[in-house]
Amino acid sequence: MSSPTLLVIAHGSRDPRHAATVQALVRRAGLLRPGLRVETAFLDFNLPSVTGVLDRLAADGVREVVALPLLLTRAFHAKADVPAVLREAPASLRVRQAEVLGPSPLLLAAVERRLYEAGLTPGDKSTTGVVLASAGSTDPEAIAVIAETARELRRTGWCSVRPAFASASLPRTEDVVRALRAEPGVGRVAVSPYVIAPGRLPDRIAGGAVEADVLADVLGPSPELARLLVERYEQAVRAPERLAAAG
């Protein structure tokens, strides 16, 4: 019996770097599960669309799909947009929606990887304040998860970690950079974009980091993120009773 197809659903962006980064991440995840069919689709701006991929899978004779939202928190897209588009799947497909990526220790490891790649070392942690800069959301659950992620990152030994948001929520990156600069014990300030791929909001985060000492890269196709995609897929396969069928 073949394994369910993994369909990774990204938000999409007018910025071509977004789709290229998503595709690189999905390819890396696919290498961790040889033989598994892995597809990518986008909610908006980019092709292929979710409905287009689902129709193609059904035409190919696929019967089971695990749809994985490429999202860090359970905000509007995961709660409304993704389930709505999955309900349009052909009746021959059994589609299960996997959990979003966050929270996860693998995400914290990916954040630290990017900070180290930007020039920091583990020895810098005790004197470095980190701005964990996310895209932002109006969903209180999503905001709470980002705040808890910042607290978990702080527990790994960084001098201070505070969340910031590029839209929909406050505070902004530049304000948190200044606040951290004034904290006792903080010798340098680093901004870590807590986003998966480049685009308009990550560019806004970078714009707010001009007074920081270090700007890390987006999470992108990091090994930790690739592992997390496979982990969420396998959790969905093992626990189908927790996942609603679409179609």
Side-chain angles (χ1 to χ4, degrees):
M1 181 177 175
S2 61
S3 299
T5 294
L6 170 58
L7 173 59
V8 179
I9 301 176
H11 182 272
S13 171
R14 292 186 177 90
D15 189 322
R17 297 173 299 167
H18 176 91
T21 301
V22 168
Q23 296 287 6
L25 171 60
V26 173
R27 283 194 300 271
R28 188 162 200 167
L31 293 175
L32 299 177
R33 280 291 302 263
L36 176 66
R37 182 168 180 175
V38 183
E39 301 280 349
T40 308
F42 298 89
L43 289 172
D44 205 357
F45 302 117
N46 302 104
L47 292 175
S49 67
V50 179
T51 53
V53 174
L54 291 172
D55 288 345
R56 174 161 52 82
L57 290 174
D60 288 347
V62 172
R63 291 293 174 261
E64 287 193 77
V65 175
V66 170
L68 172 57
L70 196 63
L71 302 167
L72 297 176
T73 60
R74 271 183 46 80
F76 184 80
H77 293 306
K79 294 176 180 178
D81 289 344
V82 172
V85 75
L86 293 182
R87 284 193 290 271
E88 299 176 16
S92 63
L93 284 180
R94 182 185 181 213
V95 183
R96 289 169 283 169
Q97 181 176 333
E99 295 292 339
V100 297
L101 300 180
S104 168
L106 285 169
L107 288 172
L108 298 179
V111 166
E112 290 202 318
R113 172 185 291 275
R114 294 304 189 221
L115 286 167
Y116 296 151
E117 289 173 348
L120 296 173
T121 69
D124 295 324
K125 294 176 78 167
S126 64
T127 55
T128 301
V130 177
V131 182
L132 190 70
S134 75
S137 175
T138 57
D139 188 300
E141 179 185 350
I143 297 301
V145 168
I146 298 297
E148 178 58 27
T149 300
R151 287 191 288 270
E152 288 294 326
L153 187 62
R154 166 67 181 83
R155 293 184 187 111
T156 69
W158 297 95
C159 181
S160 181
V161 181
R162 294 195 189 188
F165 306 94
S167 70
S169 315
L170 293 173
R172 295 286 182 257
T173 301
E174 54 269 31
D175 297 324
V176 180
V177 168
R178 296 184 189 113
L180 280 175
R181 187 77 72 193
E183 275 196 24
V186 173
R188 70 185 62 77
V189 176
V191 173
S192 183
Y194 193 62
V195 293
I196 294 171
R200 179 176 57 88
L201 294 179
D203 284 349
R204 188 178 294 174
I205 291 171
V210 293
E211 295 181 22
D213 302 294
V214 175
L215 172 61
D217 200 358
V218 299
L219 301 178
S222 64
E224 295 83 5
L225 215 56
R227 283 175 52 201
L228 185 53
L229 263 63
V230 173
E231 185 177 286
R232 290 290 184 255
Y233 167 82
E234 292 175 344
Q235 288 169 348
V237 171
R238 288 196 303 267
E241 71 277 0
R242 295 178 55 206
L243 301 159

